[in-house]
Amino acid sequence: MIKPLRKAVLPVGGLGTRFLPATKAMPKEMLPVVDKPLIQYAIDEARAAGIEEFCLVTARGKDNLIDYFDAAPELEKTLQDRGKTSTLAALEASAISAGSMVAVRQNMPLGLGHAIWCARSFIGNDPFAILLPDDIVKSDRSCIGQLADIYHQTGGNVVAVNEVPQHLTNQYGILETGKDDGKLVEVKGLVEKPAPADAPSNLSIIGRYVLTADVLEPLSQLKTGVGGEVQLTDAMAQLIGKQPFHGLRYEGTRFDCGSKVGFLEAQIAMSIERSDLGDDVRAFLKKYI
Ligand code: G1P
């Protein structure tokens, strides 16, 4: 029987050095795109896929993230007293129900694989999603929901993929591909950040995964890979051939909010379509271009 997907792990331990000094005293996942912090986009996407339990893998200096998901009774009361119902509704939409979020500390910056391994007690034996909050995916159907559909069909592992220019393969986990129907592609191998000349394809993993708990076993060896970090990609590669493993060319647009340009593009893309902002955004863009 295929176990339903209910859990998500969100690694939020990164230093956010690319956004210093903004991130000196604030986690990068709290940077807003329009009026929602990055972390909220990831949580909303997961909820839209029916995921109800969350684990934040945090680090020192990241406690704001936990406070963000707590109730804010004084603020809520003030808004209520002032009749600010739509603001109150936005606040409520961001709330997490009691007991459905846990946080674990990644006590050393040993990489994404290590961060996931730190969530092992939360994961237990269950399938789980991973959302890297640096990536926002704008789509009609939640990107992690699209992966969840494939997981529920195959019972195996699925990663969201897209083509990148060949010279950028050294920034991503890259697939060695098998059978490919244009949307779903069988994964024959995985390499973390290969040099363009060595890359088996230009199909890269974005920050969305649905994995079985079996990935914890290779992770537990804490073997370091590229960059001296424990790489999730290397642990996932150990599952190939033992259980289904696919890449899904998801429907939607990914914004790499870990980069300044991606972050700025996300601001435009997410505001231009809003009824309260779109016209103004279009008008001021004309002024600058
Ligand atoms: C991580 C993963 C990489 C993946 C990328 C997606 O890299 O290790 O395989 O392609 O996220 O954003 P990072 O961006 O943390 O260097």
Side-chain angles (χ1 to χ4, degrees), residues 38-87:
L38 286 172
I39 187 76
Q40 183 74 54
Y41 285 89
I43 295 283
D44 289 350
E45 183 186 323
R47 277 178 169 161
I51 292 171
E52 292 150 10
E53 294 171 51
F54 300 96
C55 178
L56 301 181
V57 184
T58 70
R60 282 183 292 284
K62 294 279 187 148
D63 289 353
N64 280 1
L65 281 162
I66 299 167
D67 291 340
Y68 172 78
F69 288 107
D70 200 355
E74 299 87 356
L75 183 57
E76 283 162 28
K77 175 148 191 331
T78 309
L79 292 173
Q80 211 153 26
D81 292 348
R82 294 185 184 169
K84 304 241 180 209
T85 40
S86 62
T87 315

Side-chain angles (χ1 to χ4, degrees), residues 112 132 135 172-173 192-193 205-207 209 231 233 254:
L112 179 60
L132 308 186
D135 282 341
Y172 297 99
E192 180 68 8
K193 302 191 171 82
I205 304 174
I206 70 153
Y209 311 70
Q231 296 293 349
T233 303
R254 166 208 186 225

